[in-house]
């Protein structure tokens, strides 16, 4: 019922070893940057978990998933991710819960990207050994995937790694001019 321009529904579920379940649904197909933009996400669990712990876990999971994707580089004023816990079942492992929550949000984020308006290719960027903060590494990843030349190379199935190197060099020259890459 929440699908508008979505081509297919996005649903993920995980049952923990203690029987608690986490179920997530999401919608969104365009204007997905930065930080969720027009996407909607709803995560429900029957686990008993403290509200502030759930909020912290959700924030962490969103930063690793929904807040790290780019579809078209455009943003909107409407975004929401909500987590609701009924408290019907005792939770035996917060670590297992957090891992499952990350798995669900990352899966839903991937579904959103694959469903993006006009999407023909999907790439995943991993930044390793970055000389700055995690925040700056994410900024460089966004710079890379939003580079028009990199987008053309990906779209045209052109293995022109010079465009990738150029985008990385452009970012590093602007924001980390004293670092050697």
């Amino acid at each position: 019922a929440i699908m508008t321009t979505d081509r297919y529904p996005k649903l993920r579920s995980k049952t923990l070893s203690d029987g608690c379940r986490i179920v997530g649904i999401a919608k969104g197909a365009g204007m997905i940057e930065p930080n969720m933009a027009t996407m909607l996400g709803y995560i429900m669990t029957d686990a008993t978990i403290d509200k502030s712990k759930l909020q912290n876990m959700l924030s962490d999971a969103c930063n690793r998933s929904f807040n790290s994707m780019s579809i078209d580089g455009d943003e909107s004023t409407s975004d929401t991710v909500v987590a609701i816990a009924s408290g019907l079942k005792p939770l035996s492992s917060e670590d297992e819960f957090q891992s499952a929550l990350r798995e669900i949000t990352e899966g839903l984020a991937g579904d959103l990207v694959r469903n993006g308006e006009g999407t023909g290719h999907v790439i995943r960027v991993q930044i390793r050994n970055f000389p700055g903060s995690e925040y700056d590494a994410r900024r460089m990843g966004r710079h890379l995937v939003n580079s028009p030349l990199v987008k053309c190379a990906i779209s045209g199935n052109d293995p022109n790694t010079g465009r990738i190197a150029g985008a990385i060099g452009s970012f590093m020259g602007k924001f980390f001019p004293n670092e050697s890459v």
Side-chain angles (χ1 to χ4, degrees):
I2 66 172
M3 292 174 40
T4 52
T5 58
D6 297 68
R7 293 186 306 243
Y8 59 85
K10 290 145 216 73
L11 171 70
R12 297 288 174 137
S13 176
K14 182 87 175 179
T15 302
L16 307 181
S17 61
D18 58 12
C20 291
R21 285 191 70 203
I22 305 173
V23 176
I25 60 172
K27 67 96 36 215
M31 300 176 77
I32 307 288
E33 186 191 343
N35 296 337
M36 298 181 237
T38 59
M39 67 147 283
L40 300 174
Y42 301 96
I43 299 167
M44 296 140 290
T45 182
D46 55 4
T48 300
I49 185 164
D50 177 73
K51 180 181 176 182
S52 63
K53 285 183 183 178
L54 180 59
Q55 180 61 55
N56 288 337
M57 289 180 186
L58 180 64
S59 294
D60 173 70
C62 285
N63 283 334
R64 295 169 176 263
S65 58
F66 300 128
N67 291 342
S68 294
M69 62 185 178
S70 176
I71 292 177
D72 50 24
D74 287 329
E75 64 181 305
S76 172
T77 57
S78 305
D79 66 2
T80 301
V81 172
V82 176
I84 302 167
S86 68
L88 293 176
K89 292 187 177 180
L91 179 64
S92 62
S93 171
E94 289 181 5
D95 289 339
E96 183 184 15
F97 183 91
Q98 184 166 20
S99 177
L101 182 61
R102 285 178 181 166
E103 183 180 325
I104 286 172
T105 57
E106 289 171 11
L108 289 170
D111 292 343
L112 288 167
V113 170
R114 283 185 289 283
N115 190 129
E117 291 174 346
T119 300
H121 294 76
V122 174
I123 63 170
R124 178 180 213 114
V125 174
Q126 293 183 354
I127 308 293
R128 293 192 179 118
N129 302 318
F130 187 77
S133 67
E134 182 179 331
Y135 171 78
D136 286 327
R138 289 178 190 275
R139 285 180 51 217
M140 185 174 77
R142 279 193 201 284
H143 185 83
L144 179 69
V145 300
N146 287 327
S147 162
L149 291 177
V150 171
K151 285 182 176 186
C152 286
I154 300 297
S155 180
N157 298 313
D158 178 6
N160 186 339
T161 56
R163 292 180 177 193
I164 295 171
I168 293 169
S170 168
F171 179 85
M172 294 302 288
K174 287 177 189 173
F175 301 107
F176 292 87
N178 298 324
E179 293 292 335
S180 177
V181 180

